[in-house]
Amino acid sequence: MSDFENKPGVPENGAFFPRDLEMHPPAFYPDYKTSVLRSPKHARLSLNNTISEMTGPVFGHNMLGELDNDLIHNFAEAGQSAIGERIIVYGKVLDERGVGVPGALLEVWQANAGGRYRHKKEGYIAPLDPNFGGCGRVITDEQGNYRFRTVKPGPYPWPNRVNDWRPSHIHFSIFGHAFAQRLITQMYFEGDPLIWTCPIVATIPDKRDIERLVAPLDMANTIPMDARAYKFDIVLRGRRSTYFENRREGN
Amino acid sequence: MVQPLNLLKETPSQTAGPYVHIGLTANYAEIKGIYPEDIGAVMLTDKTKGERIKITGRVIDGAGTPLRDPVIEIWQADANGLYNSPEEKRGKADENFLGFGRCACDLETGVYSFETIKPGAVPFIDGRMMAPHITFWVVARGINLGLHTRMYFGDEEEANASDPMLSRIEQQVRMPTLIAERKGDTYHFDIHLQGDKETIFFDI
Ligand SMILES: [Fe+3]
């Protein structure tokens, strides 16, 4: 893989590898009923990357508050903490070449330990936790690593078919270095039987790709008497390197 | 057998869901005190160079109903056509303009709006200039993979007519879905997910 490494001086301005639309969920998936009227019917128009997609906003570590990566405390009253199973979620953001992505902004959101979101449109009877807001953010380090602390979210029922329940999950929004890499996904937890009954999970066609969203319990990174750890690596689109300049179209 | 290529696969997308506001626009979702402000909520300062404009519209489903839960992000060049990104090698962009905006559609009306500046033109891959445009990205419940599109400016007829990307669209009848109409300082840009006016979305 060393040929692909992001060496200083090698411009990272090649186009991104095309997105594998067969791997991602299709727009139209009737078991997830909301997708029916919200799925474009035309094929997406394929377009070579231009500078408009190969660039993107970069967010500096200085925007982060001290508790941004600590959902147990970032909304809690002084001296209080969120209720629930204390966990650490950590991992690495890589691109498809296996290169760590430094400076990636991850924004995460989730239900509380009882499966309830702090949101106006939320109707589940489980109680709010006064000390839990449900959002956090972190920026990857030089190697692409990140970690945050939270409580394990509870599963929750949702109006779709008569008795659909979401497995425990954390939503992730990721900014890499380019708008072409923009991605929103969800992390699930090893061993949760609800993963295999959920129509949102099932929008992903291949079981092996679903498994890439399931974070294993990692006892090696667990803090004894404090918090268990779950590992979740994220892969963003990779790009061609430009050791040899492409012949420019039209020249 | 041959040697493996060792390429990884991109992480699969999942819908942003109905509670996307908690993660992306926490203050708008009335979760106060965690972040001082929502990123992308304010794009301009007094010092930003360029013509002030407003962009507004709705995201409309296949039944003609405006969605009330999407979050829209935009990404654009500065007034001189430079992106505020480390990837920008042509010069230094306006330091008072990031070029990134994020807006939740109104929970009652579905209307979104951005106050920004009109971007300058940027080059296509072959060096020809593209007409000024803004990159849009739409996520919501029921959208399984974020939707990329572009907004072009209705008062840039000449530039639009020679835009290398617009002219590549085979179904020219759909091209107007990418063009925002100007009224005063406001551009109206509705995004249609389905139907006769379905917006062109890009696989970029
Ligand atoms: Fe959720």
Side-chain angles (χ1 to χ4, degrees):
Chain A
M1 296 298 288
S2 64
D3 272 6
F4 286 129
E5 259 166 50
N6 187 357
K7 298 191 191 78
V10 177
E12 281 279 292
N13 53 5
F16 285 85
F17 306 144
R19 205 160 226 167
D20 181 359
L21 294 174
E22 301 290 307
M23 181 277 288
H24 284 293
F28 178 74
Y29 190 82
D31 280 353
Y32 178 21
K33 294 182 184 179
T34 316
S35 76
V36 172
L37 284 172
R38 296 184 172 197
S39 42
K41 296 294 177 226
H42 291 272
R44 294 184 192 223
L45 187 72
S46 292
L47 177 68
N48 290 325
N49 292 170
T50 72
I51 190 169
S52 300
E53 297 83 30
M54 285 158 51
T55 53
V58 171
F59 301 95
H61 290 264
N62 59 2
M63 77 179 244
L64 298 177
E66 214 177 311
L67 295 178
D68 281 9
N69 66 348
D70 183 358
L71 283 74
I72 292 180
H73 294 109
N74 67 8
F75 193 75
E77 295 289 334
Q80 304 283 307
S81 57
I83 290 171
E85 301 176 33
R86 297 161 63 89
I87 60 169
I88 292 160
V89 177
Y90 81 95
K92 188 165 183 173
V93 180
L94 307 147
D95 74 14
E96 289 167 306
R97 302 166 302 177
V99 179
V101 181
L105 171 66
L106 279 64
E107 295 165 286
V108 297
W109 67 101
Q110 62 168 87
N112 70 21
R116 170 77 184 260
Y117 281 99
R118 187 173 286 282
H119 193 280
K120 264 187 188 168
K121 303 274 172 181
E122 159 72 291
Y124 184 33
I125 53 174
L128 280 172
D129 175 349
N131 291 305
F132 188 70
C135 58
R137 59 188 182 184
V138 59
I139 293 177
T140 57
D141 69 12
E142 282 303 305
Q143 283 74 47
N145 297 304
Y146 75 90
R147 64 175 53 224
F148 61 90
R149 175 158 71 168
T150 187
V151 292
K152 193 177 176 194
Y156 58 84
W158 60 296
N160 186 58
R161 297 171 306 200
V162 170
N163 192 20
D164 276 324
W165 289 71
R166 297 297 332 277
S168 293
H169 63 278
I170 300 178
H171 296 265
F172 278 69
S173 161
I174 307 111
F175 282 91
H177 297 169
F179 227 65
Q181 293 176 303
R182 195 76 183 83
L183 183 69
I184 282 184
T185 189
Q186 302 181 27
M187 179 197 113
Y188 304 101
F189 291 83
E190 178 182 8
D192 187 343
L194 292 170
I195 294 170
W196 308 107
T197 69
C198 174
I200 288 179
V201 173
T203 59
I204 299 168
D206 191 323
K207 183 167 186 275
R208 288 166 298 184
D209 292 317
I210 294 172
E211 285 167 345
R212 295 193 294 125
L213 296 182
V214 183
L217 171 67
D218 177 7
M219 290 304 285
N221 274 285
T222 286
I223 304 174
M225 307 303 285
D226 182 340
R228 283 169 298 135
Y230 284 88
K231 189 207 73 158
F232 186 54
D233 289 342
I234 296 164
V235 181
L236 301 180
R237 289 170 71 182
R239 64 195 308 184
R240 290 195 277 274
S241 48
T242 50
Y243 297 97
F244 306 103
E245 192 68 30
N246 279 346
R247 194 176 68 90
R248 290 196 180 270
E249 203 179 329
N251 283 2
Chain B
M1 286 292 280
V2 298
Q3 292 188 5
L5 284 171
N6 291 333
L7 283 175
L8 304 176
K9 285 168 80 178
E10 189 186 14
T11 294
S13 171
Q14 290 273 263
T15 180
Y19 308 123
V20 56
H21 314 97
I22 298 172
L24 302 192
T25 59
N27 287 290
Y28 178 76
E30 296 174 19
I31 298 172
K32 308 277 186 188
I34 298 185
Y35 310 135
E37 63 208 11
D38 294 333
I39 63 170
V42 178
M43 298 180 68
L44 302 178
T45 74
D46 292 348
K47 293 184 195 152
T48 306
K49 297 186 190 76
E51 181 192 351
R52 266 61 181 163
I53 59 167
K54 185 175 167 185
I55 301 167
T56 186
R58 296 166 303 166
V59 181
I60 297 162
D61 75 9
T65 308
L67 274 55
R68 295 177 298 177
D69 54 319
V71 169
I72 299 177
E73 291 183 355
I74 63 173
W75 172 243
Q76 65 168 102
D78 72 6
N80 292 319
L82 292 170
Y83 282 101
N84 195 336
S85 161
E87 307 287 321
E88 174 60 87
K89 314 290 187 207
R90 297 169 300 141
K92 188 157 170 25
D94 183 350
E95 59 188 11
N96 294 303
F97 186 62
L98 177 58
F100 172 72
R102 178 186 271 173
C103 180
C105 291
D106 186 275
L107 288 173
E108 303 303 326
T109 63
V111 173
Y112 74 84
S113 68
F114 292 99
E115 292 190 12
T116 182
I117 50 130
K118 197 167 173 186
V122 300
F124 192 55
I125 26 189
D126 61 5
R128 282 182 294 162
M129 294 311 274
M130 294 189 278
H133 62 269
I134 294 181
T135 297
F136 271 64
W137 195 65
V138 182
V139 294
R141 173 171 71 102
I143 293 176
N144 291 327
L145 174 64
L147 296 168
H148 273 280
T149 188
R150 271 187 187 185
M151 189 201 96
Y152 284 83
F153 295 86
D155 54 340
E156 294 281 346
E157 280 172 14
E158 212 172 297
N160 291 343
S162 61
D163 180 82
M165 202 282 293
L166 289 177
S167 57
R168 281 193 170 197
I169 297 170
E170 196 181 327
Q171 301 167 322
Q172 281 291 308
V173 65
R174 298 184 61 211
M175 198 262 278
T177 65
L178 301 180
I179 298 180
E181 190 193 342
R182 180 168 191 156
K183 279 184 190 147
D185 296 331
T186 300
Y187 291 89
H188 288 267
F189 187 57
D190 282 343
I191 294 168
H192 293 264
L193 300 178
Q194 293 178 357
D196 292 346
K197 292 187 274 186
E198 182 180 310
T199 299
I200 295 176
F201 297 105
F202 294 98
D203 166 30
I204 51 157

